[in-house]
Structures are given as structure tokens and as C-alpha cells.
Amino acid sequence: MRSGMIAVVGRPNVGKSSLVNRLVGFKVSIVAPKPQTTRQHVRGVLHVDEDELVFVDTPGLHRARRSALNRYMNDAATSALGDVDLILHVVDAQRQTAEDAAVTARLADTTVPVLLVINKVDRVVPRSALLPLIRDLAARRDYAAVVPVSATRGDNCDALCAELRARLPEGPWLFEPDQVSDRRLDFRVVEAVREKLILLLAQELPYATTVTLESLETEGALLRASAVIWVEREGQKKIVIGEGGQTLKRIGSAARHEIEAQVGQRVFLKLWVRVKRDWTDDPAALKGFGYA
Ligand code: GDP
């Protein structure tokens, strides 16, 4: 029996969440077309034959910015690297940036084997450009393996899985066989609301919001949940609520559908919007919201 913890690292938007979701075959983490959407570790667990693969999906290891929230996200990503058996460094085949180089630099001293995953190969045209790209990226350090994949199409993900399985240490499983995520129902509700905020609100605003759960109870076949969307200012509250409450209604309805699809149960979801001034730069508020 083998079991291993696998950290998934890389700059925002390279497809880390998409890759974990593809490998695990279940939606465990937020996937959204904007950077910095995974703030906390979310593990996906894959069981194949005798093997258990536990993925730690880290927030993007991005360069330091001022706010306490950004510092928290960087610390969370770094701490995930300390205690794992393998590291997957995910890069985007289309574009490498200084942020990718910064991640490579953060991995320079680790003794944990690093596999390079070159994602989004479906976007590489012409196909003949792929081989020189692989050669160039592979030369940047001593990788345990270099695997080109497409997380969204699934190309070569089986090969990646085989590379990972070949390197798992022996040990007992940490999760029950049918467990795909260690996140509980309350976390799923909060994540669903956050995902819809990101999808339905313009550019920067989602990063000034966080979501907490007020109540969660089962009533026969019905799941009743209420959650609070926290913003930094009154003006942001108006935007989240929208003209005649339209925006909040759309967020709530989209989140409800998402949760219903995940739990296979009818859901009644009530959302509130509240202001906590400048919470993203307030250590006490961050702690209160669970970023600690
Ligand atoms: P993360 O921030 O690294 O977790 O990235 P996400 O998984 O949220 O993906 C960022 C964006 O890239 C999303 O719009 C994904 O749909 C897209 N994406 C992820 N993997 C692929 C891929 O293999 N091919 C293409 N074309 N797009 C991808």
C-alpha cells in the first residue's frame, strides 16, 4: 500500500485547480478564469488500485505584496512545501513570466522531487513548437520528470498519474476509499458562493470579499444554508447587491445550483452582505475569517 502528499505549485492561472480536478475526477477546488482564486489548501484525494495520491492545491506562490492577505497567501503556499513527498510545478505552455521564475527560485533548495508539468499544450500551435519548448523548460533544473498535459482536455493526464504513482512512498492510506475531498459541507457552501462572486463581479472586487457561513441545517431532503459576503466598504456592498438586489440574486441562484449539483440535494440558500472596513489588511479580521 502506498500513499503520498503532492503539493501543486505554480503562479496564478496556470491551471493548478483544473489539473487537480482532472486528476481526482471531481470538482474539489474553485476553477475560475481569474488569478488568485484559491486562498487555502484544498486537498483532492485519488485512489487507484493500491495507491493513494493526496493533492495539496496551494494558493499561487506570487511575489510579495503589501496586504496582510497577500502575506498570508504566500506563507500558506510555502508551508505546504515543507511536508510533502512530491512537488508538481505547473507552468503554462503559452507563456512563462517572472512569477514562474520566482516559483522555480523558491524550489531551488528543496530536497523533495519536483515534477514539471507543462499545462495547456492544447494551445500550442504549431505542434512542432512543443518539443523545443519542453527541452528549454526541462533544462531549468534537475526535474524528476517533465510532463506536458492539457488539464481541460485531459491529454496525457494518465501519463502524469503514472509518473506520480511510480514515486509514492509506501505507507497506509490517510483517507477512506470513497473520499474525494477532506473539505466538509460547510466549506463547499462557502466555496460555491466565492466562486460565483468571482465569476459574476468585475475584476478586482472579488479580492475584497470573503464569505462566512451563518447556519447550515438539513430539513428532510432540504439543505438550508445562510452565508455572509463581507466587503471592505459601503460602495462595494452596493455593487454586490446590485440594482434592486439583482446581482446578489444571481450570485445566490448560481451558488445554489452549484451546491445542489455537488450534494445531490435541494438547497435553500440565503445570502447577506456586510461591511468590515479594510479587512484584507487587518490581521485580527483575517484571523476571524479563518486565514490564520
Ligand atoms: P490556477 O489559478 O493555477 O488554479 O488556474 P485554474 O485551474 O483556475 O485555471 C486558470 C484558467 O486556465 C481557467 O480559465 C482554465 O479553464 C484555464 N485552463 C486550465 N487548464 C487548461 C488547459 O489545459 N488548456 C486550456 N486551454 N486552458 C486551461
Side-chain angles (χ1 to χ4, degrees):
M1 213 174 232
R2 294 187 296 180
S3 170
M5 293 273 282
I6 302 158
V8 183
V9 306
R11 73 164 161 82
N13 245 4
V14 292
K16 296 178 297 298
S17 304
S18 307
L19 183 67
V20 171
N21 291 342
R22 163 66 64 179
L23 291 169
V24 172
F26 184 85
K27 198 166 174 189
V28 284
S29 180
I30 288 180
V31 181
K34 290 178 189 173
Q36 301 182 21
T37 51
T38 308
R39 283 180 188 166
Q40 282 165 305
H41 302 178
V42 178
R43 293 185 191 85
V45 182
L46 174 62
H47 290 131
V48 216
D49 302 332
E50 305 285 278
D51 299 340
E52 176 183 69
L53 293 76
V54 181
F55 294 95
V56 190
D57 189 15
T58 67
L61 283 168
H62 40 254
R63 283 178 295 178
R65 282 224 337 243
R66 286 171 314 280
S67 86
L69 177 61
N70 270 285
R71 275 199 300 279
Y72 167 80
M73 288 167 70
N74 271 317
D75 289 350
T78 307
S79 72
L81 299 180
D83 207 25
V84 297
D85 302 295
L86 298 170
I87 297 172
L88 281 189
H89 182 185
V90 185
V91 296
D92 183 332
Q94 282 182 294
R95 206 165 68 91
Q96 292 84 47
T97 70
E99 281 182 299
D100 294 299
V103 176
T104 306
R106 293 279 275 273
L107 300 177
D109 296 330
T110 184
T111 53
V112 178
V114 180
L115 286 79
L116 181 69
V117 175
I118 305 172
N119 187 31
K120 309 194 190 181
V121 292
D122 55 289
R123 290 268 181 82
V124 177
V125 278
R127 290 295 277 186
S128 59
L130 192 56
L131 215 56
L133 176 70
I134 295 171
R135 224 178 278 138
D136 174 40
L137 292 173
R140 297 187 182 182
R141 76 167 277 155
D142 189 13
Y143 292 108
V146 177
V147 190
V149 302
S150 168
T152 48
R153 288 210 322 215
D155 301 357
N156 219 28
C157 289
D158 286 349
L160 174 59
C161 191
E163 291 284 355
L164 294 171
R165 290 177 65 190
R167 293 176 174 79
L168 293 177
E170 298 217 348
W173 286 8
L174 304 172
F175 291 83
E176 295 297 325
D178 63 349
Q179 211 173 335
V180 283
S181 169
D182 70 338
R183 295 298 189 168
R184 298 182 313 269
L185 190 56
D186 50 357
F187 179 79
R188 300 242 175 121
V189 171
V190 164
E191 287 292 277
V193 176
R194 277 217 308 125
E195 177 178 86
K196 300 314 169 192
L197 280 170
I198 288 162
L199 290 173
L200 296 170
L201 295 178
Q203 280 299 325
E204 289 305 313
L205 189 50
Y207 306 118
T209 66
T210 194
V211 179
T212 57
L213 195 70
E214 291 286 282
S215 67
L216 183 66
E217 52 202 53
T218 308
E219 234 179 67
L222 182 74
L223 185 71
R224 261 181 202 282
S226 78
V228 178
I229 299 167
W230 296 90
V231 294
E232 293 196 297
R233 293 176 229 298
E234 281 299 330
Q236 294 168 341
K237 179 172 169 176
K238 285 210 186 82
I239 297 171
V240 175
I241 292 172
E243 195 77 38
Q246 281 305 310
T247 308
L248 187 62
K249 213 165 147 187
R250 282 174 59 212
I251 293 166
S253 152
R256 179 171 60 79
H257 284 115
E258 174 79 39
I259 302 161
E260 284 179 343
Q262 287 196 22
V263 301
Q265 218 174 333
R266 222 153 59 75
V267 173
F268 179 84
L269 177 66
K270 179 85 195 141
L271 293 178
W272 312 88
V273 186
R274 287 192 201 134
V275 179
K276 177 89 186 166
R277 269 202 90 74
D278 298 323
W279 70 266
T280 60
D281 212 13
D282 173 351
L286 282 169
K287 206 168 171 192
F289 288 143
Y291 300 108

